[in-house]
Structures are given as structure tokens and as C-alpha cells.
Amino acid sequence: MSENEILIIFGTETGNAEELSDTASRLASDYDLIGKVMDMEDVTTDILAESKNLMVICSTWGDGEQPDNAEDLYESTNNLNDGDLNGLKFSVLALGDTAFDLFCESGKEWDNVLEEKGGERIIDRIDCDTDYDDYAEDWIREAFYKFKKLI
């Protein structure tokens, strides 16, 4: 994995997080970064541990659950030892709906577990409601700016 590559992983039920991940991948090139998009279903904890830069874009499903494609990776990540993700710089964009009690719960869980396992947060998590388009892109740009400064 090259120094300027950012692994962008998504957890989604309806496709919004996947679409936003594709947008993030396109925006990465504006910062001389390479955005590599992967479905969480295809990601292992070994891939996370080998990554230097990670952007998580995850929606919340039902009553605060991880999307189906994110469940296995989340559980595997949760089972890692503290420190297994040392050296990983990460950012989390959470998608949700304020109509539900556990707003953006899946993203909050990712933010916590990545830090618990040794990852270094490079920008505060953003919790996006259903009308996320404009401010999500601004956050992605700010995250890439911070990643670029650290490379």
C-alpha cells in the first residue's frame, strides 16, 4: 500500500454510503491521494491492520445496527487486541436519520472501536442526517487535507 493511498470502506443497506464513498474516491485525487473503495463485506482485519490511512463511511440500520455488509468486519475488529491497529490514521463519516433514537450509532461504534484498537483519529467524526450532501463533501475534503498533511 502506497503512502498516499486511503482505504475508503463503506457499510450500507440502501447504497448511500457506497455512493458517498465513490464521491470521496474521486475527491481524493484533488489532494494527490489515491482513494481505494471497498465494501466492508470484502475487508478483513488484516487489510485494516496493513492500512495506513482509513476513511469509514457507514450508515446505521434499523434500531442502531450495523448494516448487513458491515456486521462481520465490525465484530472481527471488535475482537482485535488493543494496539492491533497502531499506526492506522482514520476518519469516520456516519450516516443516519434523526427520526430514530440511535442516530448514527453504527458510525459512532466504528469511531470508538478503531480508537480502542490503536487507531489515531485525524478528524472528528461527522454524524450526517438524511440531507447530508453538501456538508458531507466539505467534511471529506477537510479529512483529505488532514491526511495529506500527515503523509
Side-chain angles (χ1 to χ4, degrees), residues 54-75:
L54 174 69
M55 179 175 282
V56 174
I57 300 178
C58 191
S59 57
T60 299
W61 187 245
D63 290 321
E65 289 96 29
Q66 293 287 329
D68 285 346
N69 73 317
E71 282 180 27
D72 290 345
L73 180 61
Y74 178 75
E75 288 305 317

Side-chain angles (χ1 to χ4, degrees), residues 1 24 31 39 46 49 52 55 57 62 73-75 94 105 112 121-123 132:
M1 175 171 280
Y31 299 85
D39 186 319
D46 287 342
K52 293 180 178 12
M55 179 175 282
I57 300 178
L73 180 61
Y74 178 75
E75 288 305 317
E105 187 65 20
N112 289 333
R121 183 183 300 104
I122 61 113
I123 186 173
Y132 59 83

Side-chain angles (χ1 to χ4, degrees), residues 13 58-68 70-71 74-75 94-110:
E13 287 286 342
C58 191
S59 57
T60 299
W61 187 245
D63 290 321
E65 289 96 29
Q66 293 287 329
D68 285 346
E71 282 180 27
Y74 178 75
E75 288 305 317
L95 295 174
D97 185 338
T98 52
F100 293 93
D101 289 338
L102 296 172
F103 175 62
C104 289
E105 187 65 20
S106 295
K108 292 173 184 176
E109 290 175 347
W110 275 106

Side-chain angles (χ1 to χ4, degrees), residues 3 5 11 31 34 42 50 82 94 108 127:
E3 282 291 317
E5 185 172 285
Y31 299 85
I34 301 164
D42 301 324
E50 293 167 7
D82 291 354
K108 292 173 184 176
D127 297 337

Side-chain angles (χ1 to χ4, degrees), residues 6 23 30 32 37 50 53 55 91 119 140 144:
I6 297 199
T23 298
D30 293 349
D32 296 321
V37 176
E50 293 167 7
N53 306 302
M55 179 175 282
S91 58
I140 291 167
F144 286 153

